[in-house]
Amino acid sequence: MKGYVHSIETFGLVDGPGVRYVLFVQGCKMRCRYCHNPETWKICTDEDEKMDVGLGWQTAKEAFDRAYRYQNYWKNNGGITVSGGEPLLQIDFVTELFRYAKEKGVHTTLDTSGSIYGEEPATVEKFEKLMEVTDLVMLDIKEMDEEKHKKLTGRSNKNILAMADKMNEMGKEMWIRHVLVPGLTDGKEDLKALRNKLDEWTNVSRVEILPYHTLGAEKSAELNRVQRQFPVPDAAACETAEQTLRMLGLPVTSGRAQKKEDKK
């Protein structure tokens, strides 16, 4: 099984526990107004097609073998993270890659928006197979209100919330991430709605507030696209969001929004 890889990071520190080898796959159906990685949007399904972005097609075995060369850095809590783009668009590739990882006892993390859960190719059956070889899911919750979510991303959030409910039912460990964009995703009532939903998900072990940055707008300009620049949240804004989402005994942190220009 082959997948289209956009880029890799060999020493990731913000994409799961410990030191991670992070593989960013190509393709995404969401069109987030503040997207940090618009260069990963384009979808390629033809293995004979060569695109002008990314590292190109790799088999799952090739991708794992390249990652496993860095296993000495992972120690006891590091491992492999697949991000994107949207990994569920290449679910068969990710499942096979993670299967190789688990055969070697490597910790696996899926970083996803969940927006195509239940749709082809990420059917419920295939997702359950993926979860058999996934240790941790980092789920990006962008907005709780469905209409606001559509305006923000171009898609409904029903699939995303259904996927989170499914993982809770399965008892699969989950980290929740929320990108904080002043005037867009920092509304008090919207954050309270997310906080209330977190009460229902007993499988959430961590919540991260990721401050918006302007790198996506700069990348969009390079791609001859227009992306509005929003204000960058200050420490006080992040702390306010943390306080709204904080639950007893559950870590809520203001993580550094990763700038992925150092990918290889």
Side-chain angles (χ1 to χ4, degrees):
M1 174 57 63
K2 289 185 177 180
Y4 200 101
V5 178
H6 179 273
S7 50
I8 62 170
E9 184 174 354
T10 59
F11 204 83
L13 298 175
V14 294
D15 293 279
V19 176
R20 316 295 298 182
Y21 181 98
V22 189
L23 188 148
F24 301 93
V25 295
Q26 182 71 29
C28 186
K29 288 188 175 182
M30 298 184 86
R31 294 295 181 264
C32 300
R33 292 172 60 189
Y34 57 81
C35 180
H36 293 157
N37 297 291
E39 74 279 15
T40 65
W41 284 0
K42 187 175 180 181
I43 297 172
C44 184
T45 58
D46 185 351
E47 293 183 11
D48 293 325
E49 179 182 351
K50 291 186 177 181
M51 297 170 58
D52 56 357
V53 294
L55 299 178
W57 293 100
Q58 296 179 15
T59 67
K61 186 65 164 60
E62 288 170 340
F64 175 73
D65 287 345
R66 291 172 183 177
Y68 199 62
R69 291 181 299 178
Y70 297 89
Q71 55 96 12
N72 286 336
Y73 296 106
W74 301 340
K75 306 300 182 183
N76 295 325
N77 65 338
I80 296 174
T81 296
V82 177
S83 184
E86 175 47 66
L88 294 184
L89 282 170
Q90 302 192 54
I91 191 168
D92 294 331
F93 168 75
V94 179
T95 301
E96 187 173 338
L97 169 62
F98 280 5
R99 187 172 294 119
Y100 285 121
K102 298 316 297 176
E103 288 175 356
K104 293 290 188 178
V106 176
H107 185 279
T108 55
T109 295
L110 177 72
D111 181 8
T112 176
S113 73
S115 65
I116 66 163
Y117 169 76
E119 302 176 5
E120 289 289 349
T123 63
V124 174
E125 181 180 5
K126 285 188 175 183
F127 181 79
E128 290 176 346
K129 291 292 184 182
L130 173 58
M131 289 300 98
E132 291 176 2
V133 288
T134 301
D135 293 305
L136 170 68
V137 175
M138 297 194 301
L139 179 62
D140 187 3
I141 300 288
K142 302 176 187 299
E143 172 61 59
M144 290 300 295
D145 181 271
E146 184 179 11
E147 291 307 313
K148 289 182 180 179
H149 193 277
K150 288 178 180 178
K151 292 179 181 178
L152 180 65
T153 71
R155 291 179 64 88
S156 168
N157 63 357
K158 287 184 177 179
N159 302 47
I160 300 167
L161 299 179
M163 192 186 88
D165 289 339
K166 178 66 174 179
M167 287 189 292
N168 185 53
E169 177 187 318
M170 298 172 70
K172 180 64 61 179
E173 184 182 5
M174 183 165 64
W175 290 7
I176 296 297
R177 291 178 142 187
H178 178 73
V179 179
L180 194 69
V181 186
L184 199 61
T185 67
D186 63 342
K188 182 176 291 187
E189 293 305 313
D190 296 323
L191 290 173
K192 284 183 178 179
L194 175 55
R195 169 66 176 79
N196 291 337
K197 193 64 179 176
L198 288 171
D199 284 337
E200 301 177 16
W201 294 329
T202 59
N203 60 325
V204 176
S205 60
R206 182 183 180 93
V207 179
E208 293 184 338
I209 301 295
L210 303 181
Y212 163 79
H213 59 68
T214 61
L215 182 61
E218 297 167 12
K219 290 180 178 179
S220 292
E222 294 174 0
L223 295 168
N224 295 317
R225 300 175 187 161
V226 177
Q227 183 185 113
R228 174 185 169 187
Q229 284 197 15
F230 297 92
V232 176
D234 57 20
C238 293
E239 177 61 27
T240 298
E242 286 180 39
Q243 291 176 358
T244 302
L245 294 178
R246 184 164 285 119
M247 295 182 292
L248 183 63
L250 181 64
V252 181
T253 65
S254 180
R256 176 177 63 89
Q258 186 179 19
K259 293 189 177 183
K260 295 171 180 170
E261 67 269 38
D262 57 346
K263 296 177 293 183
K264 296 181 180 179

